Amino acid sequence: MTDITEPLPPFLAEPPRIDTEISVTGKWTATGRSRRLRRPAESSVLLAAWERIHAAARSHGGVVSTEINHVVGNDAVLVHQVFSDAAALVDYYAATADQLGALTQVAEPQMHMVRGLRVPADARRAIEEAGVPLAFGEWIYGYVRDRQPDPTTAVEVTATWRCAPGDHLDELKYWWQRVGTDAHDIEPGLVRFETYEVPGADAVVIHETFTDSDALKFHLTKGTAAKYKQDIDEIAAPDAYYFRGPVAWTIRTYSKFMRLPATYSVRS
């Protein structure tokens, strides 16, 4: 059994900067075979439906940011939204309930990863009633470097890892702690690293921000992902990996080699 008693380093133990914000990152796949979303001009029904929903989001005072991201090589979109607090999330989902219901007529929801310091029960219910598969992550540890990446080159990665049968959750959290601890020293291009526990599900949600595709490539091939993946693979498996940003095709190839269930997308 791995020793999992190592204390958090100071930079992982600092108070999170997310405050009351709650982020939702999810995938919707078109159900009609004719829906081709590989280029913005081909977005058709699914994109139009999301544009109507996002019009409401952009006008909602509690929505900090909202994105529609075209999935590369697939008839789907990744949607990313940040809410100022749980009350804003509840109000937004109530206001868009009819539109989300209409969306299910043309698209199927895939995993939605929800991240926050805490995700109150009313916020959980608001999203659950939309009928989407969910992973609710609540803050454990992480760091954010002071410098902000160029939004035109930055790559955002959000993933869910679920434990194999057995008592492995503490060990899984330990190995991701090792990833964050080492990355802080050897990966300057990993500017944001956050780990969230999924209560009652023996799972964690990971969120990482890289300055660019080269920084992500180093992470996967020579950095902490390469260093600790075998240890993590022995006790858990990823449910989904969502990449948002300009990811090089070589990284897409390498993620297949690593057996990551990856979805790559670019902002519309």
Side-chain angles (χ1 to χ4, degrees):
M1 178 69 177
T2 301
D3 182 1
I4 54 176
T5 60
E6 183 176 321
L8 287 173
F11 54 83
L12 284 183
E14 291 180 355
R17 300 189 186 184
I18 57 175
D19 196 24
T20 61
E21 290 183 354
I22 297 177
S23 299
V24 181
T25 307
K27 181 178 179 180
W28 288 80
T29 301
T31 53
R33 291 185 178 182
S34 64
R35 306 307 178 197
R36 311 302 300 174
L37 303 181
R38 294 173 185 171
R39 295 190 300 271
E42 299 172 332
S43 299
S44 191
V45 177
L46 177 54
L47 183 58
W50 263 115
E51 285 292 358
R52 288 192 294 272
I53 295 171
H54 279 265
R58 285 187 289 268
S59 64
H60 193 290
V63 178
V64 178
S65 66
T66 181
E67 300 174 14
I68 300 175
N69 304 279
H70 294 269
V71 172
V72 177
N74 192 265
D75 301 343
V77 294
L78 284 186
V79 178
H80 177 70
Q81 296 175 307
V82 180
F83 299 89
S84 59
D85 53 29
L89 184 152
V90 171
D91 184 71
Y92 169 80
Y93 270 83
T96 60
D98 291 343
Q99 293 172 329
L100 286 170
L103 183 61
T104 61
Q105 302 302 309
V106 298
E108 180 182 358
Q110 309 296 322
M111 176 65 73
H112 280 51
M113 305 176 198
V114 184
R115 299 177 286 114
L117 184 61
R118 293 290 179 267
V119 184
D122 58 343
R124 296 188 185 194
R125 286 194 298 270
I127 307 176
E128 287 171 343
E129 289 173 358
V132 300
L134 294 166
F136 291 103
E138 297 190 338
W139 175 268
I140 312 174
Y141 49 73
Y143 69 80
V144 180
R145 300 189 194 274
D146 290 334
R147 61 193 181 94
Q148 295 297 312
D150 183 341
T152 64
T153 63
V155 178
E156 306 271 355
V157 182
T158 310
T160 303
W161 282 80
R162 192 171 303 275
C163 292
D167 186 15
H168 297 297
L169 182 58
D170 286 342
E171 194 173 359
L172 179 61
K173 291 189 290 186
Y174 166 78
W175 285 120
W176 278 107
Q177 176 184 331
R178 292 304 317 156
V179 170
T181 299
D182 290 3
H184 188 269
D185 293 334
I186 69 174
E187 296 189 41
L190 178 51
V191 296
R192 184 168 189 155
F193 172 84
E194 299 170 343
T195 303
Y196 301 79
E197 181 177 347
V198 182
D202 288 338
V204 298
V205 174
I206 305 300
H207 181 73
E208 300 166 315
T209 302
F210 298 87
T211 54
D212 51 33
S213 197
D214 287 340
L216 174 57
K217 180 179 179 180
F218 179 85
H219 176 70
L220 294 175
T221 60
K222 299 179 181 179
T224 53
K227 183 176 181 179
Y228 292 112
K229 186 172 187 298
Q230 182 176 350
D231 299 297
I232 295 173
D233 281 346
E234 289 181 356
I235 58 171
D239 284 337
Y241 258 82
Y242 293 161
F243 293 79
R244 295 180 289 118
V247 177
W249 69 268
T250 52
I251 295 177
R252 298 176 196 166
T253 301
Y254 195 77
S255 68
K256 292 180 181 179
F257 172 74
M258 297 181 74
R259 298 189 300 277
L260 300 179
T263 295
Y264 297 100
S265 68
V266 293
R267 188 177 301 183
S268 60

